[in-house]
């Protein structure tokens, strides 16, 4: 594909105006410049759409996708994936943000390892006073990458290690993926709204077509816990 971006970042957005400038600034300032940013406005009722439009007007790497009705994060991600053209795909939620070198570091690791997916570290930010230290510690364990590279020869083995052996978690946004695999997987994603476990559903589909996993301990993702 001519002029194919190295990385596509899919950002589902719904009423995220409080955090959205920081989210999109973290993408505009990525040290890896050869990226595309697919901002999927899930029929927001606040100023999120206008914020996206401003970024898209100032930077051609930003693409605004406006959904005609509120569909939920799962279908918003599906719309972004289907519009993507990058060799690799990452996900970012509209109230989180990335380290400025996140795309470069993730791209370097997945190409070096020739893996279908690479997990990276997460910095947890307590966004509510109700979040306890115990909850943060439990989440930190859940988001900890498995140390090393895993390669498989049969479909379903990667899923087994993630969901049965708990070697690594199914969260979508702390990983980079082979773009062709994600686009193939999302073609099986039902055109129905899921308000629970849409992350798990999409990860399961991606994992079914993936034969390798690797990781880096670098904390590239900032997750607002308790928003």
């Amino acid at each position: 594909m001519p002029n194919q971006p190295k990385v596509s970042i899919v950002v589902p957005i719904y009423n995220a105006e409080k955090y959205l400038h920081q989210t999109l600034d973290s993408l505009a300032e990525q040290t890896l410049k050869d990226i595309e940013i697919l901002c999927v406005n899930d029929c927001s009722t606040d100023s999120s759409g206008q914020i996206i439009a401003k970024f898209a007007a100032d930077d051609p790497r930003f693409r605004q996708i406006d959904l005609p009705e509120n569909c939920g994060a799962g279908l918003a991600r599906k719309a972004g994936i289907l519009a993507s053209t990058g060799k690799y795909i990452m996900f970012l939620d509209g109230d989180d943000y990335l380290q400025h070198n996140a795309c470069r570091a993730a791209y370097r690791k997945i190409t070096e390892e020739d893996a279908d997916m690479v997990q990276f570290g997460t910095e947890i930010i307590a966004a509510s006073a109700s979040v306890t230290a115990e909850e943060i510690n439990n989440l930190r364990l859940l988001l900890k990458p498995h140390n090393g590279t895993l390669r498989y020869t049969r479909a379903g083995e990667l899923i087994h290690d993630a969901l049965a052996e708990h070697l690594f978690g199914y969260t979508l946004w702390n990983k980079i993926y082979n773009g062709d695999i994600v686009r193939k997987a999302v073609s099986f994603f039902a055109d129905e709204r899921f308000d629970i476990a849409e992350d798990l559903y999409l990860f399961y589909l991606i994992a079914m077509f993936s034969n390798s996993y690797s990781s880096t301990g670098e904390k590239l993702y900032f997750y607002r816990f308790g928003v």
Side-chain angles (χ1 to χ4, degrees), residues 116 178-186 205-207 209-211:
D116 292 336
N178 177 301
D180 289 337
I181 288 176
V182 176
R183 284 183 283 268
K184 179 179 180 180
V186 84
L205 292 173
I206 295 170
F209 297 104
S210 298
N211 295 316

Side-chain angles (χ1 to χ4, degrees), residues 138-157:
N138 289 339
L139 182 59
R140 187 173 288 121
L141 291 174
L142 178 68
L143 298 176
K144 184 179 180 181
H146 174 75
N147 184 23
T149 298
L150 304 168
R151 301 195 184 276
Y152 306 96
T153 57
R154 293 182 299 175
E157 289 181 315

Side-chain angles (χ1 to χ4, degrees), residues 82-98:
L82 292 176
S84 71
T85 62
K87 183 172 177 61
Y88 299 100
I89 289 179
M90 296 170 65
F91 297 98
L92 176 63
D93 284 351
D95 50 12
D96 298 331
Y97 59 101
L98 294 178

Side-chain angles (χ1 to χ4, degrees), residues 4-10 32 34-36 38 84-91 103 106-118 175-183:
Q4 182 181 27
K6 289 183 170 67
V7 180
S8 299
I9 304 101
V10 176
L32 180 65
D34 190 6
I35 61 176
E36 67 174 357
L38 300 130
S84 71
T85 62
K87 183 172 177 61
Y88 299 100
I89 289 179
M90 296 170 65
F91 297 98
C103 290
Y107 174 81
R108 181 178 63 244
K109 184 67 175 180
I110 198 168
T111 53
E112 287 175 353
E113 297 293 335
D114 190 25
D116 292 336
M117 68 174 69
V118 166
K175 299 176 181 72
I176 184 171
Y177 307 87
N178 177 301
D180 289 337
I181 288 176
V182 176
R183 284 183 283 268

Side-chain angles (χ1 to χ4, degrees), residues 10-25:
V10 176
V11 191
I13 298 164
Y14 177 69
N15 288 355
E17 63 180 7
K18 181 177 180 180
Y19 305 107
L20 193 53
H21 278 101
Q22 185 177 24
T23 299
L24 300 185
D25 276 334

